[in-house]
Amino acid sequence: MEHMIYFRTDSTDPAYNLAFEEYVLTNCTEGNILILWQNDNAVIIGRNQNTAQEIDCAFVAANGIRVIRRNTGGGAVYHDLGNLNYSFITDDSADRKGFTEPVVKALQGLGLDACSSGRNDILVNGLKVSGTAQQISKGRILHHGTLLFDSDPSMIAGALTPDPTKFQSKGVKSVRSRVGNIRAQLVQDMDLQAFWRYLERSLAESLIFSSLTEQEIQKVLQLKAEKYDTWEWNYGKSPAYALHNKQRFPGGMLDVHLSVAGGKITGIKIYGDFLAVRPVEILETGLVDCLCRADALRATLDRLPVADCLGGITAEELIQVILSSN
């Protein structure tokens, strides 16, 4: 992008940073925006994931790691001060596939063999250094991602407990063998602050430095307290669902819990690492009281934004999982 409004959060609190990002997305409605930010030790859970199934709770507690749910889809990621995060915010008419290009070019500018791969990864020398996700809100689109610069690989491996079927489908044995740090692969070494300054110069032709007002910051703090600091948002309640099934598709893992009475769905929760841009709760609400059979499910889902809520997972694939659970 040519010219961008640039924000820094000036915080390493993951709850504050995600609240800051959400506030900018929903309230700064004009222009192309870049945010660069860092979180202290944290696991950031995808919006549609079951938190308890994604983390090693004992390891997280023992190491003082925060667990925060974000608004975007995709899988759980580990953040520390060796990781740098970026957020692009622009009009929804933008080419979504083009968001990774400036990041890949910036990495290539450091002499790295960088490329986009799969549905949401950036690789350097075949190792994942970045995962990305997106969200649409009020005609604006957020695209954000991680950049593993000099993170602690033992913490990444210890904090996350991914579903083993995710790795079986990609032929990868462990998190540690899959990810890599950018710094270890640089031709000429630099520290993270130098890398940060390099990205400021590389991700746009020019940056317009900006900041939130004190009144706006108070609204960010309120959002943080009411949402990102709460157990209800980050973990949620886990009722005993009567039926359960999960399956991996090219668009991601789909994990469905539902209860059925009188042939109708009375409750449903959909988890997974699919790359949604709208809340999956739209589907969950829409499917309540629907007859649990293919024709009724198909008719209901035809009226709902399945592609936005489930990323690359289709309505037919969702129906397959629901009916396999029954």
Side-chain angles (χ1 to χ4, degrees):
M1 298 179 187
E2 296 182 356
H3 309 289
M4 304 197 75
I5 301 167
Y6 177 51
F7 289 94
R8 292 179 59 152
T9 67
D10 296 320
S11 173
T12 59
D13 179 344
Y16 178 86
N17 286 336
L18 288 169
F20 185 102
E21 181 188 64
E22 179 178 343
Y23 182 86
V24 172
L25 171 64
T26 55
N27 291 276
C28 299
T29 58
E30 295 182 357
N32 300 322
I33 294 172
L34 170 66
I35 310 173
L36 293 177
W37 47 289
Q38 277 188 297
N39 286 334
D40 206 347
N41 295 16
V43 173
I44 309 300
I45 301 291
R47 179 177 181 119
N48 304 309
Q49 291 190 291
N50 186 336
T51 302
Q53 293 179 357
E54 296 298 324
I55 63 173
D56 183 326
C57 295
F59 185 93
V60 164
N63 288 278
I65 297 171
R66 300 276 299 278
V67 178
I68 309 291
R69 186 182 300 278
R70 63 181 185 269
N71 268 328
T72 56
V77 291
Y78 175 75
H79 287 183
D80 62 17
L81 295 181
N83 179 81
L84 182 60
N85 306 294
Y86 64 91
S87 305
F88 292 127
I89 299 173
T90 189
D91 291 335
D92 185 24
S93 58
D95 176 11
R96 300 179 195 178
K97 295 181 180 179
F99 284 114
T100 58
E101 291 180 7
V103 180
V104 169
K105 288 180 179 178
L107 295 175
Q108 291 172 343
L110 293 172
L112 297 169
D113 180 15
C115 65
S116 299
S117 175
R119 46 191 192 116
N120 66 325
D121 296 346
I122 296 175
L123 307 183
V124 170
N125 294 328
L127 297 175
K128 178 179 176 180
V129 300
S130 176
T132 68
Q134 297 176 347
Q135 177 194 1
I136 295 172
S137 176
K138 300 179 180 178
R140 300 278 280 173
I141 185 166
L142 161 71
H143 172 99
H144 62 186
T146 60
L147 283 168
L148 288 171
F149 184 78
D150 197 15
S151 289
D152 185 341
S154 66
M155 298 294 281
I156 297 172
L160 301 177
T161 309
D163 191 298
T165 61
K166 178 175 182 177
F167 292 92
Q168 290 168 8
S169 68
K170 294 187 176 182
V172 181
K173 295 180 180 179
S174 70
V175 171
R176 190 171 299 175
S177 66
R178 182 186 178 200
V179 301
N181 277 312
I182 293 167
R183 186 173 188 175
Q185 302 174 75
L186 289 172
V187 176
Q188 183 173 350
D189 188 36
M190 64 171 62
D191 63 17
L192 191 139
Q193 290 304 314
F195 179 63
W196 192 320
R197 292 192 296 271
Y198 170 76
L199 288 180
E200 290 175 342
R201 299 191 303 270
S202 302
L203 293 180
E205 289 187 12
S206 65
L207 294 178
I208 303 168
F209 286 75
S210 187
S211 59
L212 298 182
T213 66
E214 185 58 37
Q215 183 179 15
E216 289 173 322
I217 289 173
Q218 290 304 311
K219 291 180 180 178
V220 171
L221 291 170
Q222 181 180 357
L223 179 60
K224 171 184 179 294
E226 295 177 354
K227 180 175 180 178
Y228 292 102
D229 281 336
T230 66
W231 181 91
E232 288 77 11
W233 172 253
N234 294 319
Y235 284 85
K237 298 179 181 179
S238 300
Y241 299 100
L243 305 169
H244 172 220
N245 191 40
K246 61 183 177 181
Q247 188 171 344
R248 175 156 289 280
F249 298 100
M253 172 65 74
L254 195 59
D255 183 1
V256 176
H257 301 250
L258 72 158
S259 55
V260 178
K264 291 184 177 182
I265 295 174
T266 57
I268 181 167
K269 285 296 296 179
I270 301 172
Y271 299 106
D273 62 357
F274 43 85
L275 292 167
V277 296
R278 297 190 191 280
V280 76
E281 288 88 344
I282 296 172
L283 301 186
E284 294 170 347
T285 301
L287 286 168
V288 170
D289 291 332
C290 178
L291 287 171
C292 197
R293 67 187 196 203
D295 59 343
L297 290 168
R298 196 169 291 116
T300 298
L301 292 171
D302 281 346
R303 300 191 296 269
L304 298 172
V306 175
D308 281 352
C309 295
L310 296 181
I313 294 175
T314 67
E316 290 301 319
E317 289 169 340
L318 174 58
I319 291 169
Q320 176 183 327
V321 174
I322 291 173
L323 295 182
S324 295
S325 303
N326 204 345

